[in-house]
């Protein structure tokens, strides 16, 4: 029963937008989190704070990138890799060139 009450407190009637209450609704979303927009008994959509949306988007992108990496690794053949020394030789890179490069900070 508590879960149902929690969901009910998170709903917004679609008609509230037609009544000029959009500003109030978005302020409440910023204060208290996402809201479910209902049109009668039908769910029309969900309004989420921007930071929550960005997290969901990053999670989705992470899952997509992991799937791509898994697919690529399924075809990985260690015998086709180059050692560091072979790589440097093939691409004409010397230790002096590496030593002369400025430090790079990765985040």
């Amino acid at each position: 029963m508590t879960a149902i009450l929690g969901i009910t407190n998170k709903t917004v009637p679609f008609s509230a937008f037609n009544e000029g209450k959009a500003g109030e609704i978005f302020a409440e979303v910023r204060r208290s989190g996402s809201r479910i927009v209902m049109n009668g008994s039908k769910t029309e959509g969900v309004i989420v704070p921007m930071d929550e949306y960005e997290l969901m988007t990053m999670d989705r992108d992470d899952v997509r990138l992991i799937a791509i990496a898994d697919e690529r690794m399924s075809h990985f053949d260690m015998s086709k890799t180059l050692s560091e020394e072979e790589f440097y030789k093939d691409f004409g890179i010397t230790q002096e060139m590496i030593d002369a490069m400025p430090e790079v900070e990765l985040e």
Side-chain angles (χ1 to χ4, degrees), residues 18-99:
N18 296 331
E19 296 166 1
K21 297 181 181 175
E24 294 172 33
I25 294 167
F26 286 108
E28 184 63 28
V29 167
R30 282 190 295 276
R31 262 192 315 278
S32 305
S34 61
R35 292 292 180 266
I36 301 167
V37 180
M38 302 293 294
N39 191 357
S41 62
K42 182 181 175 201
T43 304
E44 289 292 333
V46 178
I47 304 171
V48 296
M50 196 63 196
D51 58 341
E52 191 176 321
Y53 172 77
E54 288 170 348
L55 283 174
M56 290 187 303
T57 303
M58 286 188 320
D59 288 346
R60 183 198 67 215
D61 289 344
D62 288 348
V63 168
R64 184 179 59 80
L65 291 172
I66 289 168
I68 291 170
D70 283 346
E71 169 61 23
R72 289 178 179 173
M73 289 305 293
S74 71
H75 304 291
F76 179 71
D77 182 355
M78 186 67 171
S79 68
K80 293 182 180 179
T81 63
L82 297 174
S83 69
E84 183 179 6
E85 292 80 19
E86 291 171 318
F87 179 85
Y88 289 166
K89 182 180 175 199
D90 287 356
F91 289 94
I93 299 170
T94 65
Q95 187 62 47
E96 291 77 25
M97 293 166 74
I98 294 170
D99 292 340

